[in-house]
Structure formats: C-alpha cells, structure tokens
Amino acid sequence: MGEINTCLKRTFTIFNIIFAVFGGLIILLAVLAHVLTSIHGADNLENRTLSLIMLYVVGAITMVIAGLGAYGAHKEKKGPLIAFLVCMVIGSLIMLRIGFLTAFARPRMEPVLKEAFSKYLPLDQAPEDVQEMTQAIQSEMQCCGLFSYTDWRDNIPDSCLCHTEFEESECVRVLYKVLMTKKIYAKPCFPILMHYILLIADIMLAVVFTLGTLALLGMGLSSLMIHQLRYPNRAPVLLTVPAIFSPHPPKYQELQNSPMHPVY
C-alpha cells in the first residue's frame, strides 16, 4: 500500500496534467504569434523576438516541471517532489513579480513608444531599415505613416496607396507635390500597432497570473505529499476534552449532594 493518500495522489496527477496542457498552450500561442507577426512583417523587431523566445522557454519549462511532479507522485519519491516544490516556490515568486511589473508598466507603454517612434520622423529621412519595416507594416495593416501620412512629407510611398476594393471611408485623397493627388489609407499605423502591443501585454498578464496561481496550488499539494512521505505512520491527531470540562460532577460534589443519614 502506498504511503500517499490515493485521493491526494489523483488530485496531484490531475493538477500536473492541467499544468502540462497549459505549458503546451503557451508553446502553441508562441507559434501562432510567430506566424502572425511574420505575416505582418515584424521580423525585424527585437522585442518581438525576445518575447517569443520567452514564451517558448516558459512553455517548455512548465511541461518539464509538470512531468517531474507527476513522476514523483507516481513513484512516491521525495526527491522529485522536493524539486517540484522548489520550482513552484521560485516560479510563483518570478511570475508574480513579472505580473505586477507588467501591470504597472502597461499604462506607460503608449507615451514611451510614441516618444521612441517620433525620433524617426520625418520618415523619408529615416534609416533605410526603418523605412522598409514601416512600408511592410503599411502594406499589411492598410495604414499610412506612423501618426499621419504627413510623416512622409511629399514622398508618400506606394505602400500607402489605397486599392480600389477598399471603401471610401478607409481611404482619403491628399494633395501630392504640385497639383497632384494620391488616394491613400486614411488610418495611421501607430494606433494599430499599439492595439496589438497592448493585446500582447494583456495576454502576458493572463499567462503570468495563471501560472502564479497554479504554482501556489502546486506548492500546497506537493507540501502535503512530502509531509505524508516523511511521516507515513503518524496517527491522526484527535482533540479530546480535558477532564476539567467533563460533564459528570466531581466526586466531592456527589458526596456533598448525597442525602444525609440521621445520626442517633
């Protein structure tokens, strides 16, 4: 017979299955983000690459830790369970720290990025790699300029041109050079980029706080299993009522309340 309670072992196994599935979902999310950002021409963004690498690493580590915990529970070995507990403690602290830092930084992302992108204006004088990346974003997201089409001044590129299949509300006709007009996309690119950046930040917050919650739950379950392995034969503690609270009256009270016999 095993030293760990069967119900606790099954609960811990189900927890590790959920934990492993969540790690697989993180990897799948990283793959989808990789594909989508590649389609939208964001391959040159260093922050994008770093975020994807972090998602891959977190997903893989999550699945490995889940396997470690499941192995320790199945074999009833303290070593893997202690390693799992240590990983849960470290992981919960890291996840909660990252989550709170991201939550506090989220409202400041837009002004910081706006200031950073403003340094490349006007776009027709920006470095060549910045112009190429901006034109790729314009073609994929159907926008023109970072904050306005005037970011290109009189050198509006063909990536801003609005095709005939788009509705008139999505396009605008602007004066181009002298007595010339161009039909370009009406929306600038910065608000669209901010929408995706904030969406990624929200997804990261959800992932981080979910992992932190799972780590806290894993800490509790693994601690109980380690305790049962360390003290396998410990009898359950029963609370007994002390004698001073006994419902029966004391002996001296019985003598005092007993009927007195007459003395002759």
Side-chain angles (χ1 to χ4, degrees):
M1 182 176 178
E3 298 176 351
I4 299 178
N5 181 272
T6 305
C7 182
L8 178 60
K9 184 187 292 188
R10 290 177 180 175
T11 303
F12 191 69
T13 302
I14 294 173
F15 166 80
N16 281 285
I17 292 174
I18 296 174
F19 204 51
V21 169
F22 193 75
L25 290 176
I26 293 176
I27 295 177
L28 180 61
L29 178 65
V31 173
L32 291 176
H34 194 164
V35 173
L36 291 176
T37 51
S38 298
I39 293 175
H40 288 296
D43 288 327
N44 296 325
L45 295 178
E46 295 182 0
N47 292 334
R48 169 259 186 191
T49 304
L50 180 60
S51 300
L52 290 178
I53 292 175
M54 288 181 60
L55 285 177
Y56 284 122
V57 171
V58 169
I61 291 176
T62 301
M63 297 185 70
V64 171
I65 293 175
L68 180 65
Y71 172 78
H74 179 69
K75 297 294 184 179
E76 297 191 2
K77 293 183 178 293
K78 286 192 295 184
L81 289 175
I82 292 175
F84 179 87
L85 176 60
V86 172
C87 292
M88 290 295 99
V89 173
I90 296 175
S92 62
L93 294 176
I94 293 176
M95 291 298 105
L96 292 176
R97 178 180 175 83
I98 294 175
F100 285 117
L101 289 177
T102 305
F104 285 121
R106 187 185 183 281
R108 297 191 291 271
M109 287 182 180
E110 185 169 355
V112 170
L113 290 176
K114 187 174 183 178
E115 181 180 358
F117 286 144
S118 298
K119 296 178 182 179
Y120 297 112
L121 300 181
L123 288 174
D124 58 344
Q125 293 183 354
E128 185 176 353
D129 58 337
V130 175
Q131 293 190 32
E132 292 178 356
M133 184 182 66
T134 304
Q135 293 194 45
I137 293 174
Q138 291 175 161
S139 299
E140 295 295 334
M141 297 186 177
Q142 290 83 48
C143 55
C144 186
L146 292 175
F147 308 100
S148 171
Y149 69 90
T150 57
D151 294 342
W152 293 101
R153 298 193 296 185
D154 287 336
N155 298 308
I156 300 175
D158 293 339
S159 57
C160 283
L161 296 180
C162 193
H163 301 289
T164 55
E165 62 267 17
F166 288 94
E167 299 180 1
E168 290 296 329
S169 59
E170 299 178 358
C171 305
V172 62
R173 190 170 293 278
V174 298
L175 184 63
Y176 177 67
K177 292 186 178 180
V178 181
L179 302 177
M180 297 179 63
T181 60
K182 271 189 175 184
K183 188 178 180 182
I184 62 173
Y185 298 117
K187 295 180 180 179
C189 296
F190 181 76
I192 302 175
L193 288 174
M194 281 307 308
H195 170 74
Y196 286 108
I197 291 172
L198 294 178
L199 179 62
I200 293 173
D202 292 338
I203 292 174
M204 288 186 61
L205 282 174
V207 169
V208 164
F209 282 116
T210 302
L211 282 176
T213 304
L214 289 175
L216 293 176
L217 180 59
M219 286 170 54
L221 292 174
S222 57
S223 298
L224 288 175
M225 298 182 72
I226 293 171
H227 178 77
Q228 289 190 1
L229 288 174
R230 184 171 295 177
Y231 306 103
N233 298 320
R234 171 171 289 187
V237 179
L238 299 178
L239 297 178
T240 57
V241 181
I244 57 174
F245 296 105
S246 175
H248 302 288
K251 295 299 181 180
Y252 72 87
Q253 188 175 356
E254 293 179 358
L255 292 175
Q256 183 180 2
N257 295 334
S258 61
M260 299 295 293
H261 295 284
V263 178
Y264 297 99

